[in-house]
Amino acid sequence: MTDTDRLRRLLGGPDTAWLVKRVRSRLERGASLSGRVTLAEATPAQRRAVELLLGRRAGTGASLSVPLDEVDRVLRTSGASPHGLAAAVELLDGPVRDLARENAETAAAWAAAFAPLDEALTARPELAEWRAWLDSTGLVRRLAPDPAEAAGTLRRLAAVVRRLPSPDMPLGRFAAETCGHAHALDEGPLATLALSSARALAGLPFRSDGGAEARRETWAKVGVHLDELSSTVLCLGLPGDAHTPTGRMLAAMRGEPVSLTLRQLRRHTEPMRAGLVRICENPVVVAAAADALGRDCPPLVCGNGRPSAAVWRLLELLAEGGADFAYHGDFDWGGIAIAAAVHERIGWRPWRYDASAYLEATSDTPLAGRPVPTPWDPSLATAMKDRAVRVEEEQVLTDLLTDLAP
């Protein structure tokens, strides 16, 4: 039978509290109660308490070392705690948590919460780095600390990821169809995570730089628009016409870059006729072409990264008018993924965007990211994996302007 009074005298005072705390920590971690525990800079009172517990001098010096096996033996033989040190700590300080079991249960709960998102991402290798970033930053756990709470958020996030990029849809409708509520992506943890996934697909840093304009531009790059004015497309050299508002504007601005809104393009119902249309990825090409060629620049459309709803609408109008397309973009895996999406949707022929052009370009910038197939020239993906450098459009700008010149 436990002698509670004796146990409290031996081990329950303030001068042995550090020892009880160390033993509890070991028990919670599932470690054995063997070996020694040491207290640096022990006070005289702490040293006397250990001497009373062990029935002998506790040595000299600043530190105090206590053999746990001996403490266990003393407690058992004295009757203070017949079941030993572990039982004594529970009697004095309450039940000991099983941290290993708790951690395993928590890990299992989080794995179950992430399961729908991980399933959705099995077919999205381009989001693998973003998924790893979620783990490394702990963003989900900060936004929704409880796995049961996070499960619903991640389930809706999985539905969002499955539908991105979107083929031109207002944010409210997109949210209603993927999350069950038109305002689900306006604010809150789900909105933050969904916007982060959109940034990943658009080739942007995963963490948002904040601001309504950045949010609007991010969604536009994956085909989701907050309104018809936020989604735009930059173009140069489109011939226009004399009988529609957009056509007259293009004709009047011939030689200057023009930014068309989704609203304008939705109200332009006639096909646009332009012959061969070249597509570039970066606005710098459009600016340089306007400076160098002015009104002599042939039709040029800028995707500005992953195409927005306005870009898709303009390309569709041009395709309806019988246009042929030639495409150039950055030689990196993000640029290749964008090119592949445009190639699948409207089709194009390479504009200095094949293996031979890549190998001729000069660059020493390392190529990072996950490889993406290049169906228009399978040898391009092979060349990029072998050479492992990225080539941006700015580095071949002279060649592109030569092609655009009359």
Side-chain angles (χ1 to χ4, degrees):
M1 183 176 180
T2 301
D3 186 342
T4 306
D5 290 339
R6 182 177 180 82
L7 176 61
R8 293 190 186 282
R9 287 197 303 272
L10 292 176
L11 199 59
D15 295 319
T16 53
W18 70 273
L19 178 57
V20 173
K21 183 177 180 181
R22 298 281 186 90
V23 173
R24 169 176 284 277
S25 176
R26 286 199 178 195
L27 291 171
E28 288 178 340
R29 291 182 285 111
S32 66
L33 297 185
S34 60
R36 292 174 173 269
V37 293
T38 301
L39 176 66
E41 304 297 334
T43 67
Q46 289 171 326
R47 188 176 299 279
R48 285 194 300 272
V50 169
E51 291 175 346
L52 176 63
L53 171 64
L54 298 180
R56 62 173 176 79
R57 288 183 59 81
T60 59
S63 64
L64 177 60
S65 181
V66 179
L68 296 181
D69 292 320
E70 187 174 349
V71 174
D72 183 79
R73 179 188 60 77
V74 167
L75 294 175
R76 290 177 186 272
T77 58
S78 68
S81 178
H83 298 292
L85 178 56
V89 167
E90 289 205 63
L91 192 149
L92 292 171
D93 202 35
V96 173
R97 296 169 57 192
D98 185 346
L99 292 183
R101 177 182 57 78
E102 291 179 14
N103 290 339
E105 290 175 350
T106 300
W110 276 111
F114 271 100
L117 179 61
D118 290 334
E119 181 182 357
L121 294 179
T122 55
R124 306 300 298 271
E126 69 273 26
L127 288 174
E129 291 185 18
W130 172 72
R131 175 64 181 87
W133 177 79
L134 290 181
D135 281 342
S136 66
T137 60
L139 177 61
V140 174
R141 301 188 188 213
R142 292 201 308 273
L143 294 173
D146 180 71
E149 174 191 355
T153 298
L154 292 169
R155 184 175 62 255
R156 290 185 286 273
L157 179 61
V160 169
V161 169
R162 291 182 190 275
R163 291 282 297 274
L164 290 178
S166 164
D168 180 12
M169 187 178 293
L171 180 63
R173 179 182 166 191
F174 180 79
E177 293 186 2
T178 56
C179 307
H181 193 289
H183 297 289
L185 298 177
D186 289 353
E187 59 183 10
L190 176 59
T192 299
L193 294 168
L195 185 65
S196 176
S197 71
R199 293 181 66 83
L201 285 168
L204 300 171
F206 303 151
R207 186 183 299 278
S208 174
D209 53 6
E213 185 61 28
R215 177 172 176 265
R216 181 181 295 110
E217 291 179 358
T218 297
W219 279 119
K221 287 180 181 295
V222 291
V224 178
H225 53 275
L226 275 64
D227 56 71
E228 290 185 324
L229 300 179
S230 64
S231 181
T232 61
V233 53
L234 183 65
C235 58
L236 174 66
L238 295 183
D241 58 57
H243 55 277
T244 67
T246 299
R248 288 193 293 271
M249 183 181 72
L250 289 171
M253 294 291 290
R254 189 74 180 265
E256 287 295 325
V258 175
S259 183
L260 300 175
T261 67
L262 180 59
R263 178 185 176 88
Q264 289 172 300
L265 293 168
R266 280 184 166 170
R267 282 157 175 72
H268 186 94
T269 57
E270 297 185 13
M272 290 186 175
R273 307 190 184 281
L276 175 63
V277 177
R278 286 185 167 86
I279 305 171
C280 63
E281 183 180 340
N282 298 289
V284 66
V285 180
V286 177
D291 290 341
L293 304 173
R295 294 181 62 86
D296 292 329
C297 184
L300 178 63
V301 174
C302 177
N304 196 13
R306 188 172 288 273
S308 66
V311 173
W312 289 125
R313 176 60 181 163
L314 177 58
L315 295 178
E316 288 167 358
L317 288 171
L318 291 166
E320 291 170 6
D324 294 321
F325 298 101
Y327 188 94
H328 189 276
D330 291 335
F331 286 107
D332 57 26
W333 297 123
I336 293 295
I338 294 169
V342 180
H343 187 268
E344 179 179 3
R345 185 157 173 176
I346 66 166
W348 47 259
R349 66 173 186 258
W351 172 25
R352 294 185 184 269
Y353 204 57
D354 51 23
S356 61
Y358 171 72
L359 294 172
E360 290 173 3
T362 301
S363 177
D364 56 4
T365 305
L367 176 64
R370 185 184 295 269
V372 178
T374 51
W376 61 92
D377 180 9
S379 61
L380 172 58
T382 301
M384 290 176 64
K385 285 187 284 188
D386 291 343
R387 188 182 178 198
V389 299
R390 63 177 297 182
V391 181
E392 298 176 335
E393 280 191 312
E394 292 86 341
Q395 295 171 271
V396 294
L397 192 54
T398 301
D399 292 334
L400 299 180
L401 295 179
T402 299
D403 294 341
L404 291 169

